[in-house]
Amino acid sequence: MDFELDQEQQMLAKTVSDFARNESPIERFRKLRDDDVGYDPAVWRKMGELGWLGVPFPEAVGGFGGSFVECALVLESLATTLVPEPYLASVVLGGMTLARAGNAAQHEAYLTPMIAGETTLALAYSEAQSRYDVSAIETTATPDGGGYRLSGEKVWVLNGTYAQHLIVSAKTPAGVTLFVVPRDAEGVKVTVDKTVDGRKAAFIKLDDGAVADAARFGEEGSGAAVLDRTMD
């Protein structure tokens, strides 16, 4: 088996490394640690223009059509100078979860603008008692007319302080189910805290917030399997 990078992969890694070194030295990360957002949306848009936010996604939604190998090369190169833009949170965690389970309309509504650098995503799956078990959640999604009402609390949500949309796991009668929820939706309360490396994370309280059935992606009860793939 050949583990050597091909020419395109080598070029991708070099391009991202050069960008990190020239456009985002480590001093920039230190400066942005105390910023309300924690990164620069203009730099995020530039990363979208360069095509890096679409690396693991299909061309049909504006992506590059690459594999996780290319995605890992981008992550590794950005990490050399601690580039603070939320590539892991938005592309790998939020984006790839949505890509696996969402339908075409949801991909167009949420993935395409994220790939362009216009928005970001956050995956709100972890709870105080769940540790690494994606099924050990207490957040509920109670059927209500043509939609659901979400109640519960999520902890240490990466990019949850600024993402336009949250990917939320909640239990329906069928099991763990995934929903797309606007961060500023009624019934969503976000509290900011710092992680051990100085970045920002969110504690999110869902207080009987109403979402439409169209906010659910994937079948009811399919969320745990999707999240397991993301965590792997």
Side-chain angles (χ1 to χ4, degrees):
M1 184 176 292
D2 184 7
F3 290 101
E4 293 293 326
L5 299 178
D6 63 31
Q7 188 173 6
E8 287 189 357
Q9 291 169 335
Q10 293 177 34
M11 184 178 299
L12 174 64
K14 183 180 185 305
T15 301
V16 181
S17 293
D18 288 346
F19 174 89
R21 184 175 61 256
N22 297 326
E23 303 290 334
S24 188
I26 196 166
E27 291 77 15
R28 177 173 174 266
F29 168 71
R30 294 179 180 135
K31 180 180 178 180
L32 287 172
R33 279 188 300 191
D34 297 324
D35 181 78
D36 289 341
V37 177
Y39 63 91
D40 186 348
V43 173
W44 183 251
R45 287 193 295 272
K46 186 171 184 179
M47 292 168 68
E49 292 168 1
L50 291 167
W52 302 340
L53 307 184
V55 164
F57 303 115
E59 295 179 6
V61 296
F64 177 76
S67 69
F68 192 75
V69 173
E70 288 80 19
C71 195
L73 290 173
V74 175
L75 280 169
E76 181 181 40
S77 299
L78 293 175
T80 57
T81 61
L82 301 180
V83 175
E85 278 62 39
Y87 197 92
L88 173 65
S90 189
V91 175
V92 179
L93 298 180
M96 293 182 74
T97 299
L98 181 57
R100 290 187 176 108
N103 58 37
Q106 291 165 334
H107 290 169
E108 183 177 358
Y110 306 114
L111 268 185
T112 299
M114 190 275 290
I115 289 170
E118 298 168 1
T119 62
T120 63
L121 299 169
L123 180 60
Y125 74 98
S126 182
E127 300 187 7
Q129 77 291 336
S130 62
R131 296 182 66 82
Y132 302 107
D133 185 351
V134 298
S135 298
I137 61 172
E138 296 178 357
T139 298
T140 58
T142 304
D144 180 49
Y148 301 83
R149 288 196 171 273
L150 303 182
S151 296
E153 297 186 24
K154 300 295 183 177
V155 301
W156 300 115
V157 180
L158 299 179
N159 195 43
T161 60
Y162 188 74
Q164 283 78 10
H165 294 96
L166 309 171
I167 309 299
V168 176
S169 61
K171 281 191 173 179
T172 64
V176 177
T177 305
L178 298 172
F179 299 86
V180 182
V181 181
R183 179 180 50 83
D184 58 358
E186 184 177 353
V188 177
K189 181 180 180 181
V190 178
T191 304
V192 182
D193 205 340
K194 282 190 175 182
T195 60
V196 68
D197 64 356
R199 298 176 189 266
K200 291 179 174 60
F203 286 68
I204 296 174
K205 183 175 182 180
L206 303 161
D207 189 10
D208 200 35
V211 296
D213 183 63
R216 172 179 54 82
F217 63 97
E219 298 297 324
E220 284 195 6
S222 67
V226 175
L227 289 173
D228 278 337
R229 287 191 63 194
T230 298
M231 295 303 112
D232 285 344

